[in-house]
């Protein structure tokens, strides 16, 4: 045996052997023989200093946790003392003799945090022995990292003398002596907590029940904490709910359990990492006993997502934990335990700063600014995300405002970026989420990307994560219908062309200077600066032009020849035929086409003269940038673009391809117009943002559980911030206004791992429609409703019918405005009636609006004949332009998910009006309902009316945009219900525009085409744009806005459902509804 030990010793390093021997020696040390009475105590009073105002542990500390026994763990608030008071003593009797009959309740205070622990005298004794042992170990030169660090932390001050602990057992302490014993223990603990070397030791932290999550300001009040035994399993994973209910299926693990004000979490002691987060919800409950836990001294903690079983060391311990958890949650998280309006997971919150967006221009710009101001976390989830999109356009600052550059810049600054993408069925969709994930993950380790669902393992093939969400620091949240993806950026112009459409004269304002974003072949892209920005610092002098380091010098106000030629080459590189940039996932070089300066070289004389009189930097200035062209020479760089590469799209003409080559055009922008994109979004702050973040966290943590590749610690569990700090905004989106807001969603077991599905968006739509008094205005990508309980189940169309019939019977003026795409957004040749996918969606849209016994118009006709026209109007959007000398037209794709009612209530989100979005069990969706609390004088049905600020301004903006109010301010849009507006503005404008477009372009869809024979005849006749372009141009001048009547009879005599032998006919009908 001795020879084996000796051989083992020699096989290990000498240093390790010494450490093992000393450690074994100390383990055998009988600490019971150590004196409990100490000498006079030398107390470290440095901790008594007052905490500096606003001293807090940052929220980012949740991502930097360490093992509980590490020496350099940050637990406490700097400068804040810990105060301890023994406030109560419970004495219990037993039939058998117990060594510690008294239980002491200790109340502790640290900064803003207060909490209680219960300890017996034996726990004080165990702590004292552990600290004595720790003190002795520090004096031994044990060559391990842990003890080396601890010795260094107390190097400045020698180990302090331990305070004294009473020797007598609690059992022999009489009742009249309990008060004295309380004071002795309180004094003992107070002295220990003033001594840094003991206060920071893991045994002391366990004794007072604190961890690295205890005192983080944004995690809210401190609840109960301590070590427990946790049973594995209990997750509600679709198809796997049986796992973990039998002893052969689970295992027990020691974990540190922490109760916070809206969740319960446990951590791994060895790493300190958060190992699970159980959110408080309306199903949250605490149960004790073997019957409910199948475990002696067990506690069952349950919510909609999991049943968690923990085990304590005694019945009293289990009862104390169960009661304290329930009490704390009821006190601080009562809002999550209640049934909320519309059965939503989120409450109705007052005074929420909110802002709406019409089209993506303003939305992208505010998202960019909010991302730039992120300090701790960024959450993004999209149906589709394109890393290379520019959020501010036209591109004035190189790649600075490109999404991937922004995220990399923030990641370099220490901000954690979490992205969740919908994992598409690749045979059905070409959005290439795999490329998006790889591209983002390459940028920085602080950027984590998940895709969900895995179709085979989850058996989820038909449904999608359709929500669009950007959350900044859990305090600002953008929500709506706009993905951070190609084709989404648009403004109120809804341009059809972009062959270089951003021009600039010599006297144009600086804000419209088109500065190219790419260089020619074999030249590096704009790189991230030292701070992660897409630029290096520029001078504020607008007349300066940065020169390359090797380009020459400035002499007597003139440049050397080398510098001048270099500048010419640089301008040549900038004036690109395709103003491209480099993909983050591609090589490190641009592959864009060079466009020479051609006839503009003559203007270089002007540039040279201007440069000679400018204060140009010398070659020693290495802050060069190709983006700092001065305003007066902006025209030299030619024409920039709004849409680069794949961003210029017309997905009905051709769907996206080769997304891994983001700056290569895939359609000819000189012959094919782009399809404009009309969309709506919103931003909310404070508690509403917290709730949107909470949904993201729930999805992220669920995905981490169900997908094994995301289980490593590198993909952390996310924890929600406290509602108690929701008003502490570090950034506020300009232009926001206060309103009443509630977060809504469609969620189910497959998408969020919850026990019951939620369809609060559907219920909110129904409620708002049923209770509307004057009008509803709807913009939506789909309109599939009117339940037949066979193919369609949502009741939004039924609610519209009931509300209109009620108004008709009551002889009340009431309007329903519906704006929806003229054609579904699928690839297909409209001249042949569109593809099978287009026609299938058209079938269900028409079935809802005008065709069949379940349609809105047919149901209204039964009671009011053609009077329905006074109540219900359906329209689309269309525009026109000149492209390469030819007149062209294209529909504007309405992607909005908007409902406005009575100029007081607004619903904005990602949910379409169809079963996929509304039923909750299918696609996952997010939305907000905004109700105005501030009102302004307005007019409704010819009478004075108090309209909501948020809703009124949004409705007026939408009406001005689609009815031409921005170009003709004389149009009266104030009263949306009056006969004058409805019959002299809305109906005539949409009818006139539709008639002109059909006359000039012979565009489809059209009411004149009711079958395929009509379609052939319609296509055979040329439009005015071909026969007489000049006259066509004159006719188009009569167009006002974008609104056109929706063709009710297009292909009405054809069966639009797909044939069974087609791929569209083989998929379940639920895919289309």
């Amino acid at each position: 045996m001795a020879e084996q030990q000796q051989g083992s010793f020699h096989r290990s390093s000498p240093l390790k052997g010494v450490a093992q021997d000393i450690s074994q020696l100390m383990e055998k040390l009988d600490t019971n023989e150590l004196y409990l009475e100490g000498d006079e105590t030398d107390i470290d009073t440095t901790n008594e200093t007052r905490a500096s105002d606003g001293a807090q542990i940052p929220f980012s500390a949740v991502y930097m946790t360490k093992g509980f026994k590490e020496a350099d763990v940050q637990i406490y608030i700097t400068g804040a003392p810990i105060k301890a008071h023994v406030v109560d003593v419970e004495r219990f009797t037993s039939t058998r003799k117990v060594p510690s009959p008294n239980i002491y309740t200790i109340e502790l205070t640290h900064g803003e945090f207060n909490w209680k622990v219960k300890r017996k005298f034996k726990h004080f004794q165990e702590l004292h022995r552990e600290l004595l042992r720790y003190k002795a170990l520090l004096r031994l030169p044990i060559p391990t990292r842990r003890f080396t660090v601890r010795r260094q932390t107390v190097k400045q001050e020698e180990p302090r003398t331990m305070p004294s602990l009473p020797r007598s057992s609690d059992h022999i302490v009489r009742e009249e002596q309990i008060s004295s014993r309380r004071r002795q223990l309180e004094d003992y603990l107070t002295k220990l907590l003033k001594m840094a070397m003991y206060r920071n030791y893991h045994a002391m932290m366990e004794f007072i029940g604190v961890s690295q999550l205890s005192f983080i300001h944004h995690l809210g009040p401190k609840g109960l904490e301590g070590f427990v035994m946790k049973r594995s399993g209990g997750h509600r994973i679709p198809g796997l709910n049986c796992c973990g209910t039998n002893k052969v299926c689970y295992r027990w693990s020691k974990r540190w359990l922490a109760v916070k004000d809206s969740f319960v979490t446990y951590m791994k002691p060895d790493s300190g990492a958060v190992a699970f987060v159980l959110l408080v919800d309306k199903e949250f409950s605490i149960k004790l006993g073997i019957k409910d836990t199948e475990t002696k001294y067990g506690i069952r903690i349950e919510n909609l997502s999991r049943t968690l079983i923990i085990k304590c060391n005694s019945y009293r311990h289990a009862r104390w934990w169960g009661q304290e958890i329930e009490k704390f949650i009821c006190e601080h998280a009562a809002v999550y335990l209640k049934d909320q309006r519309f059965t939503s997971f989120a409450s109705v919150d007052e005074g929420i700063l909110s802002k709406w967006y019409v089209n993506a221009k303003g939305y992208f710009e505010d998202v960019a600014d909010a991302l730039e101001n992120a300090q701790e976390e960024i959450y993004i989830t999209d149906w589709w995300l394109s890393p290379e999109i520019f959020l501010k356009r036209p591109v004035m600052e190189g790649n600075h405002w490109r999404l991937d550059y922004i995220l990399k810049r923030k990641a370099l600054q220490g901000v954690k970026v979490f992205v969740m993408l919908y994992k598409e069925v690749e045979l059905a969709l070409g959005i290439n989420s795999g490329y998006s994930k790889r591209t983002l993950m390459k940028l920085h380790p602080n950027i984590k990307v998940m895709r969900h669902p895995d179709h085979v393992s989850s058996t989820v093939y038909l449904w999608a994560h359709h929500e669009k969400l950007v959350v900044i620091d859990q305090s600002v949240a953008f929500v709506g219908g706009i993905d951070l993806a190609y084709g989404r950026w648009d403004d109120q112009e809804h341009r059809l062309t972009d062959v270089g459409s951003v021009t600039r004269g010599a006297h144009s304002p600086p804000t419209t200077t088109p500065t190219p974003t790419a260089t020619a072949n074999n030249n590096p892209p704009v790189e991230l600066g030292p701070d992660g920005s897409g630029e290096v610092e520029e001078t504020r002098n607008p007349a300066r032009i940065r020169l390359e380091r090797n380009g020459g010098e400035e002499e007597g106000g003139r440049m050397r020849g080398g510098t001048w030629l270099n500048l010419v080459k640089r301008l040549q590189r900038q004036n690109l035929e395709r103003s491209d940039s480099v993909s983050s996932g591609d090589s490190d070089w641009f592959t864009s086409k060079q466009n020479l300066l051609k006839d503009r070289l003559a203007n270089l004389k002007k540039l040279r003269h201007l440069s000679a009189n400018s204060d140009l930097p010398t070659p020693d200035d290495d802050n060069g940038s190709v983006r700092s062209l001065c305003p007066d020479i902006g025209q030299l760089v030619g024409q920039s673009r709004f849409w680069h590469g794949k961003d210029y799209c017309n997905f009905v003409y051709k769907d996206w391809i080769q997304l891994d080559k983001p700056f290569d055009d895939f359609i000819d922008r000189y012959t094919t117009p782009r399809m404009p994109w009309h969309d709506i979004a919103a931003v909310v702050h404070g508690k509403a943002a917290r709730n949107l973040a909470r949904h993201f966290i729930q999805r992220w943590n669920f995905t981490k559980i169900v997908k094994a590749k995301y289980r490593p610690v590198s993909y952390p569990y996310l924890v929600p911030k406290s509602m108690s700090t929701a008003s502490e905004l570090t950034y506020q989106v300009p232009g926001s206004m206060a309103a009443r807001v509630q977060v809504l969603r469609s969620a189910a077991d497959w998408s969020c791992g919850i026990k019951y599905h939620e369809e609060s968006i559907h219920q909110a739509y129904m409620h708002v429609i049923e209770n509307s008094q004057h009008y509803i205005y709807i913009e939506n990508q789909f309109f599939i409703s009117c339940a037949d309980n066979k193919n369609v189940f949502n009741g939004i169309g039924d609610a519209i019918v009931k509300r209109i019939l009620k108004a008709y019977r009551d002889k009340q003026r009431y309007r329903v405005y519906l704006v929806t795409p003229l054609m579904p957004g699928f690839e297909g040749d409209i001249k042949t009636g569109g593809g099978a996918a287009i026609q299938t969606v058209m079938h269900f849209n028409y079935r809802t609006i005008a065709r069949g016994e379940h349609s809105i118009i047919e149901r209204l006709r039964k009671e009011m004949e053609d009077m329905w026209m006074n109540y219900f109007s359906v329209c689309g959007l269309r525009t026109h332009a000149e492209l390469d000398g030819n007149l062209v037209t294209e529909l504007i794709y309405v992607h909005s998910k908007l409902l406005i009612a009575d100029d007081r209530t607004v619903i904005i989100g990602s949910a379409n009006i169809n079963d996929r979005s509304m039923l909750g069990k299918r696609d996952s969706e997010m939305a907000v309902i905004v109700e105005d609390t501030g009102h302004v004088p307005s007019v409704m049905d010819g009478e004075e009316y108090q309209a909501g600020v948020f809703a009124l301004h949004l409705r007026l903006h939408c009406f001005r945009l689609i009815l031409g109010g921005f170009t003709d301010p004389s149009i009266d849009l104030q009263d949306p219900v009056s006969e004058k507006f409805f019959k002299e503005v809305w109906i005539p404008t949409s009818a006139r525009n539709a008639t002109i477009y059909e006359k000039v372009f012979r565009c489809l869809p059209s009411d004149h085409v009711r079958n395929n024979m009509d379609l052939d005849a319609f296509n055979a006749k040329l439009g005015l744009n071909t026969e007489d372009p000049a006259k066509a141009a004159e006719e188009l001048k009569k167009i006002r806005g974008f609104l056109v009547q929706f063709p009710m009879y297009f292909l009405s005599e054809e069966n639009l459902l797909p044939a069974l032998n087609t791929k569209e006919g083989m998929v379940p009908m639920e895919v289309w509804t």
Side-chain angles (χ1 to χ4, degrees):
M1 178 68 71
E3 291 177 357
Q4 291 178 353
Q5 290 179 348
Q6 187 175 7
S8 176
F9 178 82
H10 286 300
R11 282 194 297 271
S12 61
S13 66
L15 204 61
K16 186 176 180 181
V18 172
Q20 289 176 346
D21 286 350
I22 296 176
S23 296
Q24 290 173 6
L25 176 66
M26 296 310 301
E27 288 292 338
K28 295 177 182 178
L29 181 65
D30 186 3
T31 56
N32 289 311
E33 296 178 2
L34 293 171
Y35 288 113
L36 293 179
E37 298 290 350
D39 298 332
E40 184 179 355
T41 307
D42 186 8
I43 299 174
D44 173 17
T45 59
T46 57
N47 196 47
E48 291 288 356
T49 56
R50 180 182 298 274
S52 58
D53 292 340
Q56 297 175 359
I57 299 176
F59 182 78
S60 56
V62 301
Y63 301 113
M64 297 182 287
T65 55
K66 299 180 180 180
F68 280 38
K69 294 185 178 181
E70 293 293 325
D72 52 348
V73 176
Q74 181 184 5
I75 300 292
Y76 306 107
I77 303 169
T78 303
I82 305 176
K83 300 177 181 178
H85 301 284
V86 180
V87 295
D88 190 23
V89 181
E90 300 175 50
R91 189 176 182 92
F92 64 91
T93 58
S94 176
T95 55
R96 58 189 177 89
K97 185 177 180 179
V98 292
S100 299
N102 297 333
I103 299 179
Y104 300 91
T105 301
I106 308 167
E107 185 177 80
L108 298 109
T109 303
H110 180 54
E112 62 182 295
F113 299 93
N114 300 279
W115 73 103
K116 293 180 180 180
V117 296
K118 287 191 174 185
R119 298 290 181 259
K120 294 181 179 181
F121 182 68
K122 71 174 183 178
H123 297 137
F124 281 90
Q125 291 175 311
E126 291 168 358
L127 173 66
H128 191 81
R129 291 166 186 154
E130 180 66 26
L131 294 179
L132 285 174
R133 182 163 143 204
Y134 163 59
K135 176 183 174 181
L137 287 173
L138 282 180
R139 291 178 174 175
L140 297 175
I142 303 177
T144 62
R145 179 186 175 277
R146 184 191 306 166
F147 282 99
T148 300
V149 173
R150 288 198 180 277
R151 280 195 300 273
Q152 290 173 350
T153 58
V154 296
K155 191 174 182 181
Q156 298 175 357
E157 307 173 51
E158 288 299 319
R160 306 286 186 164
T161 305
M162 288 283 292
S164 60
L165 183 70
R167 293 179 60 91
S168 57
S169 170
D170 254 13
H171 189 70
I172 63 174
V173 175
R174 296 188 297 272
E175 288 194 24
E176 58 269 20
Q177 296 176 316
I178 288 179
S179 178
S180 175
R181 174 57 63 92
R182 280 174 51 183
R183 288 194 299 270
Q184 289 174 340
L185 295 179
E186 183 177 304
D187 182 63
Y188 168 79
L189 191 56
T190 299
K191 290 177 180 178
L192 278 180
L193 291 172
K194 290 179 179 179
M195 304 165 72
M197 66 170 288
Y198 300 126
R199 181 177 63 246
N200 296 328
Y201 189 53
H202 64 85
M204 172 60 77
M205 293 187 285
E206 180 182 351
F207 181 85
I208 63 174
V210 298
S211 69
Q212 297 162 77
L213 301 184
S214 297
F215 306 120
I216 297 176
H217 174 69
H218 281 295
L219 288 184
K222 182 187 175 332
L224 195 63
E225 296 186 53
F227 280 115
V228 296
M229 296 301 293
K230 182 270 311 181
R231 194 173 84 179
S232 61
H235 301 283
R236 289 196 173 87
I237 302 173
L240 296 175
N241 289 334
C242 62
C243 292
T245 59
N246 192 286
K247 290 184 179 181
V248 299
C249 300
Y250 59 74
R251 66 184 183 277
W252 292 95
S253 306
K254 186 179 181 181
R255 295 290 183 263
W256 181 270
L257 191 75
V259 182
K260 306 304 289 187
D261 68 349
S262 67
F263 65 95
V264 176
T265 185
Y266 56 77
M267 306 163 68
K268 294 182 178 179
D270 55 345
S271 64
V274 173
F276 185 72
V277 177
L278 188 143
L279 300 176
V280 177
D281 55 37
K282 60 184 179 182
E283 288 289 308
F284 185 89
S285 63
I286 303 289
K287 294 180 180 178
L288 306 175
I290 294 180
K291 180 180 179 181
D292 291 307
T293 66
E294 301 176 349
T295 303
K296 190 176 182 181
Y297 311 141
I299 302 175
R300 175 172 173 164
I301 308 174
E302 190 171 11
N303 72 347
L304 285 170
S305 301
R306 185 182 183 184
T307 299
L308 174 64
I309 305 295
I310 61 174
K311 183 166 59 177
C312 300
N313 53 27
S314 68
Y315 170 74
R316 289 181 178 276
H317 188 203
R319 189 178 65 174
W320 155 252
W321 271 76
Q323 290 174 346
E324 284 300 305
I325 294 174
E326 190 167 25
K327 178 182 176 183
F328 186 84
I329 293 300
C330 289
E331 180 180 354
H332 297 285
V335 66
Y336 297 109
L337 301 174
K338 300 176 182 176
D339 288 327
Q340 301 295 341
R341 185 178 62 165
F342 310 133
T343 66
S344 171
F345 77 105
S347 60
V348 180
D349 297 309
E350 302 284 345
I352 301 299
L353 292 174
S354 311
K355 181 180 179 180
W356 49 260
Y357 301 93
V358 178
N359 298 317
K361 180 181 185 295
Y363 176 79
F364 276 8
E365 289 174 355
D366 277 359
V367 167
D369 290 336
L371 290 172
E372 196 66 34
N373 283 275
Q375 297 180 4
E376 297 162 341
E377 295 174 311
I378 294 171
Y379 299 160
I380 300 175
T381 182
D382 274 326
W383 179 79
W384 182 23
L385 183 144
S386 306
E388 297 85 5
I389 63 164
F390 291 93
L391 297 185
K392 291 192 177 183
R393 310 183 193 188
V395 180
M396 312 294 294
E397 301 177 73
N399 292 320
H400 184 82
W401 295 112
R402 213 173 82 180
L403 177 61
D404 52 353
Y405 274 66
I406 296 174
L407 296 181
K408 181 175 182 179
R409 186 160 62 247
K410 299 312 294 183
L412 285 168
Q413 295 170 10
V415 175
K416 301 291 185 180
V417 181
F418 303 100
V419 181
M420 280 194 295
L421 301 176
Y422 164 55
K423 186 176 182 180
E424 75 283 7
V425 178
E426 294 181 6
L427 292 176
L429 284 172
I431 58 178
N432 202 345
S433 63
Y435 166 77
S436 299
K437 177 183 177 180
R438 292 190 302 272
T439 301
L440 293 176
M441 291 285 284
K442 288 178 182 178
L443 297 177
H444 195 275
N446 279 343
I447 300 177
K448 302 298 180 186
V449 184
M450 287 184 178
R451 294 195 301 157
H452 185 263
D454 274 345
H455 305 288
V456 175
S457 61
S458 66
T459 68
V460 177
Y461 294 94
L462 305 181
W463 317 132
H465 287 296
H466 192 244
E467 60 216 52
K468 303 94 170 58
L469 191 62
V470 179
V471 183
I472 311 299
D473 294 333
Q474 300 192 36
S475 297
V476 180
F478 296 84
V479 63
I482 307 176
D483 289 292
L484 301 179
Y486 296 136
R488 271 58 176 173
W489 190 94
D490 217 324
D491 59 14
Q492 65 185 34
E493 298 295 326
H494 284 313
R495 297 171 178 84
L496 290 182
T497 65
D498 189 28
V499 295
S501 53
V502 187
T503 58
R504 166 115 188 259
H507 302 290
S508 298
T511 54
T512 58
T513 306
T515 307
T517 64
T519 56
N521 291 340
N522 301 322
N523 288 280
V526 180
E527 296 179 353
L528 292 175
D531 62 345
S533 65
E535 55 185 328
V536 284
E537 187 177 1
E538 299 179 292
T539 178
R540 290 184 180 271
N541 186 346
R544 291 189 177 183
I545 302 176
R546 307 282 185 176
L547 304 179
E548 291 188 68
R549 216 168 161 75
N550 61 355
E553 299 179 359
E554 179 188 6
E555 290 184 352
R558 299 180 64 83
M559 293 182 291
R560 291 182 178 179
T563 302
W564 179 251
L565 291 175
N566 184 49
L567 179 60
V568 172
K569 290 179 180 179
R570 194 167 234 187
L571 288 172
Q572 288 176 336
R573 293 171 188 163
Q574 293 173 21
N575 192 25
L576 305 177
E577 188 72 27
R578 295 208 310 260
S579 186
D580 293 344
S581 205
V582 68
S583 164
S584 300
D586 287 346
S587 65
D588 293 331
W589 305 93
F590 284 111
T591 57
S592 54
K593 184 179 178 182
Q594 182 179 4
N595 181 15
L596 300 177
L597 293 179
K598 299 179 181 178
D599 56 331
R600 301 185 186 182
L601 285 174
N603 290 328
L604 284 174
K605 293 182 179 179
K606 177 181 177 182
L607 173 61
R608 183 171 186 175
H609 172 75
L610 177 64
S611 302
N613 294 284
S614 300
D615 183 19
L616 292 172
T618 65
D620 292 332
D621 181 2
D622 62 349
N623 287 333
S625 172
V626 299
R627 300 182 298 95
S628 55
L629 294 169
C630 67
D632 289 335
I633 62 170
Q635 58 186 357
L636 280 174
V637 298
Q639 296 177 322
S640 183
R641 289 178 177 164
F642 288 107
W643 297 275
H644 299 264
K646 297 294 189 295
D647 215 3
Y648 185 92
C649 58
N650 187 322
F651 45 88
V652 172
Y653 172 77
K654 185 177 183 180
D655 209 348
W656 282 275
I657 58 173
Q658 295 182 318
L659 291 174
D660 55 341
K661 299 179 180 179
F663 296 104
D664 287 352
D665 284 358
F666 72 110
I667 59 176
D668 188 348
R669 63 178 72 210
Y670 290 90
T671 60
T672 305
R674 65 177 290 272
M675 180 168 286
W677 191 277
H678 182 78
D679 221 329
I680 305 291
V683 63
V684 293
H685 301 69
K687 291 183 177 181
R690 288 280 202 271
N691 282 324
L692 287 164
R694 193 176 184 86
H695 168 79
F696 182 96
I697 289 168
Q698 187 175 43
R699 268 193 57 198
W700 177 277
N701 292 344
F702 170 67
T703 305
K704 179 175 169 63
I705 293 169
V706 298
K707 296 191 69 172
K709 66 167 67 176
Y710 301 135
R711 289 176 192 164
V713 180
S714 58
Y715 281 83
Y717 278 98
L718 303 183
V719 296
K721 288 185 176 180
S722 172
M723 282 292 183
S724 64
T725 63
S727 60
E728 300 174 13
L729 301 177
T730 57
Y731 177 75
Q732 179 179 324
V733 176
S736 301
M737 63 190 76
R740 183 186 301 116
V741 177
Q742 184 181 16
V743 175
L744 312 169
R745 68 176 179 176
S746 293
D749 55 353
W750 79 265
S751 58
C752 288
I754 55 178
K755 186 177 181 180
Y756 308 112
H757 78 277
E758 179 180 327
E759 52 179 300
S760 52
I761 302 176
H762 183 206
Q763 294 194 27
Y765 263 81
M766 298 278 289
H767 173 83
V768 172
I769 293 169
E770 291 168 356
N771 291 276
S772 59
Q773 299 298 312
H774 302 282
Y775 81 92
I776 57 172
Y777 172 74
I778 295 174
E779 290 183 7
N780 209 282
Q781 179 186 5
F782 295 91
F783 194 63
I784 300 175
S785 187
C786 297
D788 59 8
N789 296 322
K790 180 180 178 182
N791 293 319
V792 180
F793 296 89
N794 81 82
I796 293 174
D798 303 293
I800 291 174
V801 170
K802 292 177 183 177
R803 183 63 190 88
I804 291 175
L805 289 176
K806 181 178 184 301
Y808 175 74
R809 293 162 185 163
D810 295 344
K811 296 181 171 32
Q812 177 196 21
R813 190 168 290 156
Y814 183 82
R815 315 287 188 197
V816 175
Y817 300 96
L818 171 62
V819 177
T820 193
L822 294 170
M823 293 285 289
F826 297 92
E827 183 178 351
D829 186 0
I830 184 63
K831 291 185 178 180
T832 62
I838 289 178
Q839 291 195 355
T840 304
V841 176
M842 284 172 55
H843 165 82
F844 286 105
N845 281 335
Y846 278 121
R847 173 204 166 278
T848 304
I849 297 170
R851 300 178 190 173
E853 59 179 334
H854 298 289
S855 69
I856 292 174
I857 291 177
E858 288 302 316
R859 290 165 68 181
L860 293 176
R861 269 203 179 110
K862 289 181 180 180
E863 184 162 340
M864 61 176 71
E865 297 182 344
D866 287 340
M867 290 294 291
W868 66 266
M869 296 181 184
N870 291 325
Y871 294 87
F872 185 48
S873 173
V874 186
C875 295
L877 303 179
R878 180 176 286 279
T879 189
H880 65 278
E882 183 177 321
L883 178 60
D884 200 24
N886 299 314
L887 291 173
V888 293
T889 186
E890 186 57 88
L891 65 89
I892 298 172
Y893 193 66
V894 180
H895 192 259
S896 319
K897 298 91 172 57
L898 169 70
L899 170 65
I900 307 176
D902 299 336
D903 283 352
R904 288 180 178 173
T905 303
V906 177
I907 299 178
I908 296 173
S910 64
N912 296 312
I913 296 180
N914 58 15
D915 283 358
R916 290 187 64 110
S917 291
M918 290 294 171
L919 295 187
K921 298 179 180 179
R922 302 184 182 182
D923 290 358
S924 66
E925 308 282 3
M926 292 303 296
V928 290
I929 178 171
V930 183
E931 298 168 287
D932 276 296
T933 52
H935 298 90
V936 293
S938 185
V939 180
M940 188 72 70
D941 198 11
E943 299 180 358
E944 293 183 359
Y945 184 76
Q946 291 296 309
V949 180
F950 186 97
L952 173 64
H953 289 174
L954 173 56
R955 197 262 302 167
L956 287 176
H957 186 98
C958 291
F959 277 20
R960 289 190 186 104
L961 176 65
I962 64 179
L963 290 168
F966 287 116
T967 56
D968 184 2
S970 65
I971 304 174
D972 185 4
L973 307 173
Q974 197 69 25
D975 189 342
V977 180
S978 68
E979 288 286 292
K980 181 178 180 181
F981 169 77
F982 189 70
K983 295 185 177 179
E984 297 181 20
V985 178
W986 183 272
I987 297 298
T989 299
S990 60
R992 180 177 61 251
N993 289 348
T995 301
I996 294 173
Y997 278 128
E998 186 168 315
K999 179 180 179 182
V1000 172
F1001 296 105
R1002 303 290 291 173
C1003 51
L1004 294 170
S1006 168
D1007 276 334
H1008 293 98
V1009 177
R1010 303 196 177 193
N1011 53 51
N1012 289 328
M1013 292 181 61
D1014 291 344
L1015 181 63
D1016 295 337
F1018 189 87
N1019 289 329
K1021 186 176 180 180
L1022 298 177
L1024 200 60
N1025 65 321
T1026 303
E1027 294 179 339
D1028 190 345
K1031 187 175 181 181
E1034 287 299 314
E1035 285 291 318
L1036 290 173
K1037 291 180 181 179
K1038 302 175 185 177
I1039 293 290
R1040 189 166 67 182
F1042 304 112
L1043 195 71
V1044 294
Q1045 279 186 343
F1046 190 85
M1048 298 290 186
Y1049 303 102
F1050 179 62
L1051 295 178
S1052 59
E1053 297 175 6
E1054 297 289 337
N1055 179 12
L1056 299 179
L1057 287 174
L1060 294 177
N1061 60 351
T1062 63
K1063 63 179 181 180
E1064 289 83 6
M1066 293 178 183
V1067 300
M1069 199 65 70
E1070 294 96 318
V1071 171
W1072 308 108
T1073 61

